[in-house]
Amino acid sequence: MQFLQSLLEKKEKKPEKKKVVFIETDPREAFPADTMSALQKEINKNAKDLEKDWRSAVELVDYAFTELDVPKPLAYLKDRWAQYTQLLSVAVTGLRDSRGMKSHWTKTV
C-alpha cells in the first residue's frame, strides 16, 4: 500500500537550470552557430505555443533573446543585426504556420 501511494505522489521538480547558450567574447563578431540554433528553437517552440499571445514577430524574437540570456544586437553591429533580421523571418514563418496570417500578431495595436 505504501509503495502504491509513493508512486502516486507527485514528486517535486527540481528547478530547471538554464543552459548557457552564449558567452560574450567579441561583440563585433556574429553569434556562433550554436547560439543561433538555440534561438531558432526557442522562437519555434514559442510560436507553436497557442496559449501565448504575441503582438508581433519582434516581440517573439526579443522574448527568445531574453529567455536565453543573449544580448539583443544593436544595428551598428552589422553581422549580429543581420542574424537578428534572419530570426525575425523565422518568427514570422513560425507564427504564420501555427496561427495564420489573419491572427492577432499581424494587426497593429
Side-chain angles (χ1 to χ4, degrees):
M1 186 70 162
Q2 287 179 337
F3 177 71
L4 181 60
Q5 186 177 7
S6 67
L7 287 176
L8 295 175
E9 289 178 4
K10 290 183 179 178
K11 294 187 179 187
E12 290 184 31
K13 289 185 178 180
K14 294 180 183 176
E16 290 184 26
K17 293 181 181 177
K18 284 189 176 182
K19 181 181 173 185
V20 176
V21 297
F22 179 71
I23 297 174
E24 185 69 75
T25 54
D26 183 2
R28 294 177 304 247
E29 294 291 322
F31 290 120
D34 289 349
T35 301
M36 287 297 290
S37 177
L39 285 165
Q40 288 175 353
K41 286 178 186 176
E42 188 72 18
I43 290 167
N44 287 326
K45 177 182 82 172
N46 285 296
K48 291 176 185 173
D49 185 353
L50 299 178
E51 292 182 12
K52 293 184 179 174
D53 192 22
W54 303 108
R55 290 181 290 188
S56 68
V58 173
E59 183 182 38
L60 173 56
V61 172
D62 290 349
Y63 178 82
F65 272 86
T66 302
E67 279 297 298
L68 297 177
D69 293 325
V70 177
K72 182 179 168 184
L74 300 173
Y76 74 90
L77 301 169
K78 301 276 187 225
D79 293 336
R80 288 188 183 180
W81 189 255
Q83 291 173 311
Y84 181 80
T85 58
Q86 290 171 350
L87 291 171
L88 287 173
S89 177
V90 169
V92 168
T93 302
L95 289 168
R96 181 200 63 211
D97 291 349
S98 63
R99 299 159 193 251
M101 284 303 292
K102 302 229 183 226
S103 185
H104 177 68
W105 68 274
T106 62
K107 296 174 178 55
T108 56
V109 180

